[in-house]
Amino acid sequence: MSIESLGNGGWVGDAQSGGLSAGPSASCGDWSEQRQAALYRKLARHILPFLFLAFMVAYIDRVNVSFARLQMLADLKLSDTAYGTGAGIFFLGYFIFEVPSNLILSRVGARRWIARIMITWSIISSLTMFVNSAASFYVMRFLLGVAEAGFFPGIVLYLSNWFPSGRRTQIIAMFMTAIPVSGAIGGPLSGWVMSGLDGVSGVAGWKWLFLVEGAGSLAVGIAALFLLYDRIESVRWLDADEKALLRDDLARDATVRVEYSVWRALRSTRVWMLCLAYFCIAMGNYGLAFWMPTIIKASGVASVGNIGWLSAVPSLISAVAMVLIARHADRRNERRRHVALCCTLGAAGLLASVLGAASVPVALLALVLAAIGINAIAPVFWGIPTALIGGSGAAAAIALINCTGNLAGFVSPFMVGWLSDLSGGKLLPGMLTIAAALLLGAGLVLVLPRRREAAAGSDRF
């Protein structure tokens, strides 16, 4: 979906997930629907490209360890369990500092805080080239999680301050296509760096990988200081009428959300239900991200460079599919069943990729289906809490859902690595575990409140 299609908004909320307010066409004054559409396309053109780039380099730095693994394990004599532990320990630091980081962002503004996050993680990512043992690998991955904590929920919160709910699912989907695109770019880039620079100046290819990709994040982090805007009033590319309309739309959108204090958000049954559902969803996301190169290698592809190029295929196809699915969810005014169906498709694709690993075409086709299902889940899912939760607790709730869910980033690679060691290198037991988590996530989302009245009432179902 292109930015030009953003004017086709309907209802702000989701009859299946909570919000039932009129969409963008309900704006007051003499603004036509076409002029409103033009305003939000303008916002998207100015805001989305940089956020997309920032998330893309963030994700490359987060999961490039999956490619470094192909050389690093032999150099450092690490087991699959050690790799899984190191890949996942990132999320422990992420979990501990996520909520405080998002609360700080809501106070000091996105411009300075997101720049701080990106600059610190880029430095730590580059320094990972110096790890020489399992212990040092664990330390650097933990610190990387601490540095990046607050980035994704901060961006979700930031987007909710610029786009009303009726346009937000598509906007989040466009932003989150950075995940599969990062795979499409990061795979070939990682393969090229590791094979092309291996041995240059006596430095191993996996070390060059951390240095080169960390430097890219540093440049984007510095640019954030100049390209992000904290307030509507501070932008120069909106005129007075456009700013007034935007403020009115956002104010109207806020009236259909339940006001949460920070304390209410942290003790809400509904918020914790969303946390558990997102944990299951993230199990699939990180299972795919951290093990796709290994699955492709197991199908008979030996060259690191070829593995990188083949890993781009599922990523590119899923980038298109996730935007189309998010657009369909907005048009149908329904999110829960979309999430559940995508979870089911992702689970089936992961299992098929392992069961069909003897054939490269079969494994690749299965990974395409898995990537479509798994990558399409999150943009639609995030339309649910951002439509239900408002007030000062929104920052805390979004951060809590994200950081709790992302604990799966520790559990998923550790579990797959541990089960792989126990089974003599087989990936099937780990993929069965991830598939079961995705199906559980589907069930949890389906029991979320169907109507606005349910969402606005008690925090108990």
Side-chain angles (χ1 to χ4, degrees):
M1 184 188 71
S2 70
I3 286 175
E4 300 305 313
S5 66
L6 291 174
N8 299 324
W11 291 89
V12 165
D14 174 3
Q16 304 299 327
S17 64
L20 292 176
S21 68
S25 60
S27 183
C28 60
D30 60 355
W31 278 74
S32 67
E33 186 173 347
Q34 290 75 20
R35 292 180 69 195
Q36 291 177 56
L39 167 62
Y40 287 105
R41 287 196 297 268
K42 186 175 184 179
L43 280 176
R45 284 196 300 269
H46 281 85
I47 293 175
L48 275 183
F50 179 75
L51 295 182
F52 177 92
L53 175 63
F55 194 34
M56 187 176 69
V57 298
Y59 214 80
I60 287 174
D61 277 355
R62 183 185 297 186
V63 303
N64 58 10
V65 67
S66 67
F67 280 91
R69 174 193 179 279
L70 301 176
Q71 293 179 350
M72 185 175 66
L73 263 63
D75 283 0
L76 302 184
K77 297 179 174 57
L78 300 179
S79 66
D80 275 339
T81 301
Y83 163 74
T85 302
I89 206 169
F90 165 96
F91 297 95
L92 294 183
Y94 196 87
F95 174 80
I96 294 169
F97 290 92
E98 180 89 321
V99 174
S101 179
N102 218 35
L103 292 175
I104 293 172
L105 181 146
S106 68
R107 289 180 177 271
V108 306
R111 183 179 64 86
R112 286 181 292 174
W113 197 247
I114 289 177
R116 192 284 305 164
I117 289 173
M118 296 193 69
I119 291 169
T120 53
W121 100 48
S122 67
I123 293 171
I124 293 170
S125 180
S126 294
L127 291 176
T128 305
M129 67 180 294
F130 294 109
V131 301
N132 55 16
S133 65
S136 60
F137 180 47
Y138 298 161
V139 169
M140 296 308 294
R141 291 292 295 177
F142 178 82
L143 292 178
L144 186 65
V146 172
E148 193 182 321
F151 177 77
F152 176 77
I155 297 296
V156 172
L157 181 64
Y158 182 71
L159 289 173
S160 72
N161 292 331
W162 290 92
F163 296 92
S165 299
R167 304 178 190 272
R168 198 177 302 142
T169 297
Q170 296 179 62
I171 288 293
I172 292 175
M174 293 174 71
F175 163 65
M176 292 193 70
T177 55
I179 294 178
V181 171
S182 71
I185 295 175
L189 175 63
S190 297
W192 175 80
V193 170
M194 289 177 61
S195 59
L197 298 182
D198 190 29
V200 173
S201 299
V203 178
W206 65 268
K207 295 186 176 185
W208 278 113
L209 177 66
F210 288 120
L211 178 62
V212 170
E213 294 183 350
S217 295
L218 178 62
V220 178
I222 294 172
L225 290 168
F226 304 96
L227 298 177
L228 291 181
Y229 306 89
D230 290 322
R231 294 174 291 109
I232 295 173
E233 291 76 13
S234 65
V235 300
R236 298 178 181 178
W237 34 264
L238 291 178
D239 61 34
D241 287 343
E242 290 171 326
K243 291 178 181 178
L245 173 67
L246 182 56
R247 283 192 295 266
D248 287 347
D249 276 0
L250 292 171
R252 187 178 301 104
D253 187 54
T255 64
V256 302
R257 295 196 298 265
V258 179
E259 293 293 311
Y260 277 66
S261 65
V262 172
W263 173 241
R264 184 185 178 192
L266 295 178
R267 63 182 178 85
S268 167
T269 303
R270 187 177 309 113
V271 171
W272 282 102
M273 188 89 161
L274 289 164
C275 289
L276 181 57
Y278 197 55
F279 175 90
C280 295
I281 291 167
M283 282 285 289
N285 186 279
Y286 290 109
L288 180 68
F290 284 119
W291 295 96
M292 185 190 296
T294 303
I295 292 172
I296 294 174
K297 183 177 181 180
S299 70
V301 181
S303 165
V304 173
N306 289 337
I307 291 172
W309 283 108
L310 287 174
S311 69
V313 176
S315 300
L316 284 174
I317 295 174
S318 68
V320 177
M322 67 190 290
V323 176
L324 295 176
I325 291 170
R327 186 178 183 184
H328 187 265
D330 272 351
R331 284 181 169 178
R332 295 295 299 271
N333 195 27
E334 196 288 320
R335 291 181 177 82
R336 296 178 311 113
R337 289 194 295 272
H338 280 76
V339 170
L341 287 172
C342 287
C343 285
T344 304
L345 177 61
L350 279 178
L351 290 179
S353 72
V354 176
L355 293 173
S359 166
V360 175
V362 171
L364 193 62
L365 176 61
L367 285 172
V368 168
L369 296 177
I372 290 173
I374 290 170
N375 288 329
I377 299 170
V380 183
F381 172 86
W382 281 109
I384 300 174
T386 56
L388 290 176
I389 303 167
S392 59
I398 292 170
L400 184 63
I401 293 166
N402 188 65
C403 72
T404 304
N406 273 294
L407 280 177
F410 173 77
V411 176
S412 181
F414 171 79
M415 184 68 68
V416 176
W418 178 63
L419 291 173
S420 175
D421 282 340
L422 284 181
S423 61
K426 296 179 180 178
L427 288 175
L428 181 59
M431 293 302 122
L432 281 169
T433 303
I434 291 175
L438 283 168
L439 294 176
L440 176 59
L444 288 168
V445 170
L446 286 175
V447 301
L448 287 169
R450 297 190 177 192
R451 297 178 305 169
R452 179 67 200 167
E453 292 81 5
S458 168
D459 279 334
R460 298 184 182 277
F461 296 122

